[in-house]
């Protein structure tokens, strides 16, 4: 029988809005679970689940200092156990907001992970800044949803809007080496998708793995 343990880490994704798009904030927990024993090695198989702990869309036009204050308040409300990190869209004006967050959160043990969206094919980290293809972020989110490994309470007031954003996200395949993700229409928002995608990407990317190749169930 599977035994649940409390969340071991919290990943907060922040997709910063522009003049036409609101800022969205999503919190994904990585929760370790102890499953059955491996039939060959008799080791306990560690599994992970990724519950959505929060999703919020801030008012359009909110000043960046106010956004920073809202994020700090959110972090203060998180449980006092486990680790946490803040993943922030640093594309464009996001770099200045990252600096504001670093100053505001300097006394909190919360690493800040700046992410710049790219259209490339490989994620890489340069001087502490991650450059991640949008397709990697969206793919990780869609796969986790499709495999029922990441869940959001249906009762959440933004659940319907999030599903709408996902449905409006088109997958355009130009060739086998390039997959692009974009909204069907220019006036469609995708802020919640990318806030949640950044949080889920970090939660899944840095899951501790045992020696050797062995696929694990995550839910």
């Amino acid at each position: 029988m599977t035994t649940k343990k409390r969340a071991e880490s919290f990943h907060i994704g922040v997709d910063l809005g522009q003049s036409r798009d609101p800022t969205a904030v999503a919190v994904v927990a990585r929760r370790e679970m102890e499953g059955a024993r491996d039939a060959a090695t008799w080791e306990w198989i560690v599994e992970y689940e990724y519950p959505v702990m929060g999703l919020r869309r801030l008012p359009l036009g909110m000043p960046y200092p106010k956004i920073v204050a809202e994020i700090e308040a959110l972090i203060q409300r998180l449980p006092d156990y486990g680790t946490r990190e803040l993943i922030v869209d640093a594309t464009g004006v996001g770099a200045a907001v990252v600096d504001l967050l670093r100053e505001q959160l300097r006394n909190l043990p919360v690493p800040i992970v700046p992410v710049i969206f790219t259209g490339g094919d490989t994620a890489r980290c340069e001087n502490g800044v991650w450059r991640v293809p949008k397709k990697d972020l969206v793919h990780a989110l869609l796969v986790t949803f499709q495999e029922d490994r990441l869940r959001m309470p249906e009762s959440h007031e933004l659940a319907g809007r999030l599903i709408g954003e996902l449905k409006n996200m088109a997958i355009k395949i130009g060739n086998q080496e390039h997959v692009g993700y974009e909204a069907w229409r220019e006036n469609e928002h995708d802020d919640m998708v990318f806030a949640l995608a950044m949080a889920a990407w970090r939660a899944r990317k840095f899951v501790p793995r045992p020696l050797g190749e062995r696929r694990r169930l995550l839910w």
Side-chain angles (χ1 to χ4, degrees), residues 152-171:
M152 179 176 177
E154 295 181 1
S155 59
H156 195 288
E157 61 180 352
L158 294 177
R161 294 185 183 181
L162 174 64
I163 297 301
E165 285 190 11
L166 287 169
K167 288 182 178 179
N168 286 322
M169 191 68 70
I171 302 177

Side-chain angles (χ1 to χ4, degrees), residues 6 11 38 43 46 50 64 72-73 80 84 117 120 122 127 141 155 162-164 168 170 180 184 194-195 197-198 202:
R6 63 185 183 180
H11 308 266
D38 186 285
E43 296 176 335
V46 179
Y50 304 94
Y64 289 130
E72 180 183 20
D80 59 1
R84 59 203 68 190
F117 300 150
T122 304
N127 299 319
L141 181 62
S155 59
L162 174 64
I163 297 301
N168 286 322
W184 279 110
F194 280 103
M198 284 188 290
R202 283 290 293 190

Side-chain angles (χ1 to χ4, degrees), residues 91 115-124 130-138 172 174-175 177-182 194:
T91 309
V115 173
I116 295 177
F117 300 150
T118 72
D121 294 315
T122 304
R124 65 187 188 279
W130 278 92
R131 297 179 179 272
V132 184
K134 278 190 173 183
K135 65 181 181 63
D136 285 6
L137 293 171
V138 177
K172 294 186 177 181
N175 53 57
E177 297 180 353
H178 179 73
V179 181
Y181 296 82
E182 59 185 18
F194 280 103

Side-chain angles (χ1 to χ4, degrees), residues 45-183:
I45 300 175
V46 179
E47 302 173 358
Y48 293 90
E49 63 177 359
Y50 304 94
V52 178
M53 307 297 290
L55 180 64
R56 186 179 177 193
R57 175 179 274 169
L58 301 181
L60 183 65
M62 177 179 283
Y64 289 130
K66 177 64 174 175
I67 291 174
V68 169
E70 291 285 335
I71 294 171
E72 180 183 20
L74 167 65
I75 292 173
Q76 298 281 13
R77 291 197 299 270
L78 289 175
D80 59 1
Y81 55 81
T83 61
R84 59 203 68 190
E85 66 175 2
L86 186 62
I87 307 97
V88 185
D89 168 19
T91 309
V93 298
V97 180
V98 169
D99 290 338
L100 288 175
L101 284 165
R102 282 178 172 149
E103 175 64 23
Q104 187 72 19
L105 305 179
R106 63 186 183 280
N107 294 323
L108 294 177
V110 182
I112 297 176
V113 182
V115 173
I116 295 177
F117 300 150
T118 72
D121 294 315
T122 304
R124 65 187 188 279
C125 185
E126 299 176 351
N127 299 319
V129 179
W130 278 92
R131 297 179 179 272
V132 184
K134 278 190 173 183
K135 65 181 181 63
D136 285 6
L137 293 171
V138 177
H139 177 72
L141 181 62
L142 292 178
V143 167
T144 310
F145 264 124
Q146 290 168 356
E147 296 180 349
D148 203 19
R149 300 174 181 180
L150 184 149
R151 291 181 178 179
M152 179 176 177
E154 295 181 1
S155 59
H156 195 288
E157 61 180 352
L158 294 177
R161 294 185 183 181
L162 174 64
I163 297 301
E165 285 190 11
L166 287 169
K167 288 182 178 179
N168 286 322
M169 191 68 70
I171 302 177
K172 294 186 177 181
I173 303 177
N175 53 57
Q176 294 182 350
E177 297 180 353
H178 179 73
V179 181
Y181 296 82
E182 59 185 18

